[in-house]
Amino acid sequence: MAKWGEGDPRWIVEERADATNVNNWHWTERDVSAWSSERLRQLLLGLRVEGPEGACQLTDVIKLDGEASINNRKGKLIFFYEWQLRASWLGMSGGGLKYRGTIEVSNLSDENDLGDLDISVSLCKDQPDTPLLDLMRRTGVPEVRRILGEYIHQLKSEFSQGMILPTANGPKPPAPEPSKKNQIKTSKTQISSTPRCSSSPAPCPTGVRIPTCSFNLTETFQTSADELYRTFVNQEFVQVFTRSAAVVDGCRGGRFQMLDGSVSGEFIQLVRSRLLSQSESEHYATVSLELEDRGDETELRMECRGVPVGEEDSTREGWTRFYFQAIKQTFGY
């Protein structure tokens, strides 16, 4: 999502022989699916509830599909997890009769609050009605919700320390504000950003040139171009679909900051309902979003320039997930 270049100290990437990401410079990712799968099984199989009707406990996790990962972008951790699970439960009534059933969760993910989880409880098809089903719905469901919350807590606490690395020379000083002179309008659909040295008499650092590439995305939204345009430049809209505090000054030259500060930059060009161009700080990404109104839908064409070679897939996934999918899921576009 960024244009890595030369001539600015923010573009100097410190490398070590062991290829460690010294200053958390790049988007790094760690797959924690295996750990998550094992931990979810352990937590769920410890569930047992009791009541006047008898007692029930989970005996097996018969389905556990999904994945989990942790991403570190500029020292900010972003947790991805998405799971569908089904577990078997065994109940014993006060009279000593045994009953079997299942409990299912279809939407455990970083996009849903615990209170929004769909948790359903049922009896196996060959089982007669029993008050134990009510016990599981009344007491078992809240316990499952609590256990899944414990998994999320452990996921974030277990891996946070190892994902944020110390800087090589102590805390990194705040990056200077990007100069507006560095953004050159080349056409209505393209913005060029050419790094320059400061006018200060101090010598300009040469930095390390990092090879970059570009990519394009196309997405269709079931809304008008005007409405979609507002979604990107209105602070309240941005805070809703990112589910976090944001600062968005939706005018040319206005600054924006979102996703807990991991994404920030400046709007270079704004043509209402047609084009939104923005640069992202730290490495000066240039992103152009062209909106074409097609009556009952809008086609968005995105061009992202300056992506480090090898990081195209993760950058593409970040835009698709945190912007396009989040907007569709939040506003129904």
Side-chain angles (χ1 to χ4, degrees):
M1 299 171 71
K3 185 173 183 178
W4 280 251
E6 59 179 346
D8 187 299
R10 284 170 288 178
W11 295 334
I12 297 175
V13 178
E14 183 173 354
E15 297 178 337
R16 292 208 303 236
D18 60 0
T20 300
N21 182 19
V22 178
N23 289 317
N24 298 298
W25 206 267
H26 301 301
W27 184 304
T28 58
E29 180 173 307
R30 183 174 182 179
D31 187 349
V32 292
S33 300
W35 176 90
S36 294
S37 179
E38 180 63 25
R39 195 68 190 116
L40 282 167
R41 291 179 186 276
Q42 292 174 350
L43 291 170
L44 288 167
L45 293 179
L47 183 147
R48 177 182 172 86
V49 295
E50 297 182 3
E53 302 90 341
C56 299
Q57 65 180 40
L58 297 189
T59 58
D60 189 21
V61 179
I62 55 180
K63 175 185 176 182
L64 188 54
D65 297 334
E67 60 183 351
S69 63
I70 306 173
N71 289 268
N72 176 8
R73 187 180 185 221
K74 307 174 190 176
K76 298 287 186 180
L77 292 185
I78 304 174
F79 295 86
F80 300 126
Y81 52 90
E82 186 171 9
W83 297 98
Q84 294 181 344
L85 62 93
R86 184 186 303 119
S88 299
W89 58 269
L90 174 66
M92 182 172 291
S93 68
L97 298 177
K98 294 182 179 180
Y99 298 85
R100 296 185 179 274
T102 60
I103 188 165
E104 187 167 0
V105 183
S106 60
N107 62 338
L108 174 62
S109 78
D110 53 275
E111 298 175 349
N112 295 319
D113 296 330
L114 285 174
D116 296 329
L117 297 183
D118 294 328
I119 305 176
S120 58
V121 182
S122 61
L123 285 167
C124 292
K125 291 183 178 180
D126 59 347
Q127 300 291 293
D129 290 338
T130 171
L132 292 174
L133 182 60
D134 293 331
L135 172 64
M136 282 296 294
R137 288 172 174 168
R138 184 180 69 251
T139 308
V141 168
E143 271 298 291
V144 169
R145 205 181 301 275
R146 181 192 64 78
I147 285 173
L148 298 180
E150 179 62 22
Y151 154 71
I152 296 170
H153 171 74
Q154 292 184 16
L155 171 67
K156 295 181 177 181
S157 60
E158 286 280 341
F159 295 97
S160 294
Q161 184 174 0
M163 285 291 292
I164 300 181
L165 304 177
T167 59
N169 299 308
K172 184 171 64 177
E177 293 290 321
S179 170
K180 292 183 180 179
K181 295 181 180 179
N182 291 344
Q183 288 106 30
I184 303 172
K185 177 179 176 182
T186 59
S187 73
K188 285 189 176 182
T189 58
Q190 290 184 319
I191 299 296
S192 164
S193 177
T194 305
R196 301 176 182 173
C197 294
S198 168
S199 59
S200 168
C204 293
T206 58
V208 176
R209 180 184 292 275
I210 299 176
T212 63
C213 62
S214 303
F215 68 85
N216 297 279
L217 287 174
T218 301
E219 196 78 23
T220 301
F221 295 83
Q222 302 300 315
T223 187
S224 66
D226 185 68
E227 188 73 18
L228 185 58
Y229 174 88
R230 288 203 305 269
T231 303
F232 282 97
V233 301
N234 182 282
Q235 179 169 306
E236 293 184 1
F237 279 60
V238 172
Q239 289 183 145
V240 171
F241 78 76
T242 61
R243 302 188 181 187
S244 61
V247 177
V248 180
D249 183 6
C251 62
R252 183 175 181 178
R255 304 285 300 171
F256 60 85
Q257 183 173 345
M258 62 189 74
L259 292 173
D260 296 325
S262 64
V263 175
S264 61
E266 177 179 337
F267 292 112
I268 304 170
Q269 181 183 33
L270 296 173
V271 179
R272 186 169 184 83
S273 303
R274 291 179 56 197
L275 176 69
L276 163 67
S277 296
Q278 62 185 38
S279 69
E280 296 193 358
S281 64
E282 193 83 43
H283 301 291
Y284 286 99
T286 54
V287 178
S288 295
L289 306 178
E290 185 175 1
L291 313 179
E292 181 179 347
D293 200 322
R294 295 184 170 182
D296 58 348
E297 65 180 25
T298 298
E299 181 179 87
L300 181 151
R301 293 185 292 273
M302 169 187 167
E303 180 188 23
C304 185
R305 294 184 288 136
V307 181
V309 172
E311 296 189 13
E312 178 183 351
D313 289 343
S314 61
T315 305
R316 186 191 302 268
E317 180 182 353
W319 267 93
T320 300
R321 180 163 191 160
F322 289 113
Y323 287 83
F324 303 155
Q325 291 182 359
I327 288 173
K328 289 183 177 182
Q329 292 171 357
T330 302
F331 301 112
Y333 296 164

